[in-house]
Amino acid sequence: MSMSGTCKSFNGLKGWGFIDSNGTDIFVHIKDCTDGKQPQQGDVLTFDTEPRQNNPEHLQAKNVTGGSAPKEGAWGAFSGPVQGTGANEGTVKAFGSKGFGFITQADGSELFVHVKDCVGSKPVPGDKVKYDIRESDTKPGEKQASNVTGGSAPLVDPNQDKGMGKGGWGPAWGGDWGKGGGWGGDSW
């Protein structure tokens, strides 16, 4: 059943907010906005509801329409490369779907780059990027790129339903986090 309400708040960078429908707060997530826009405070929205997955006593809006603001943050349209202040410039030689690649530096040498060191966008082969250099996380004595800007692809693929949270980069960012994915193996 379709309902309507007024957007009480919405954080576009985080991708969520609340709708006031006759005095009841209803959670809204950007992935449930179907008209290509995001809600902003004061918008009159039309939506369906269902119990929230992580808190069934409260409602979540689905099939939301009526937002008037352009999508922002990782959820919105990619607005192009971020131009940064890195001390070095190079050309991306390779960057794969697993989140890492190599930059060819001005002297012809290659430098490792990981997606966690990219700012605002991720590189694809051929991109001219700016970056800083730091010690490698995993190979003592070696260097890797950091603060990498100028990539021409979005950091998060909008067609991929998961970001860098649960099921995302996980083990690549620090190994096995213990039994059940927690920090360590002790039960508290």
Side-chain angles (χ1 to χ4, degrees), residues 19-135:
I19 301 168
D20 177 21
S21 182
N22 297 321
T24 300
D25 285 347
I26 299 172
F27 179 81
V28 58
H29 194 278
I30 191 67
K31 72 179 182 179
D32 297 311
C33 297
T34 59
D35 58 2
K37 299 277 190 175
Q38 77 180 27
Q40 64 181 357
Q41 188 173 9
D43 284 347
V44 176
L45 306 172
T46 304
F47 52 93
D48 299 320
T49 60
E50 68 179 34
R52 287 187 64 183
Q53 186 176 3
N54 61 342
N55 191 351
E57 293 125 23
H58 293 94
L59 296 175
Q60 177 168 342
K62 294 286 185 180
N63 304 315
V64 179
T65 59
S68 63
K71 288 185 177 181
E72 59 185 310
W75 307 100
F78 178 60
S79 60
V82 171
Q83 298 305 317
T85 58
N88 304 283
E89 292 186 28
T91 303
V92 177
K93 176 179 180 180
F95 198 89
S97 62
K98 297 208 181 236
F100 66 90
F102 295 91
I103 297 170
T104 302
Q105 300 185 92
D107 67 2
S109 64
E110 293 180 3
L111 186 66
F112 177 81
V113 59
H114 192 277
V115 71
K116 73 178 181 178
D117 291 308
C118 297
V119 179
S121 59
K122 70 180 175 185
V124 297
D127 283 349
K128 304 281 187 214
V129 293
K130 287 186 176 182
Y131 57 94
D132 293 319
I133 299 175
R134 66 179 179 86
E135 293 294 321

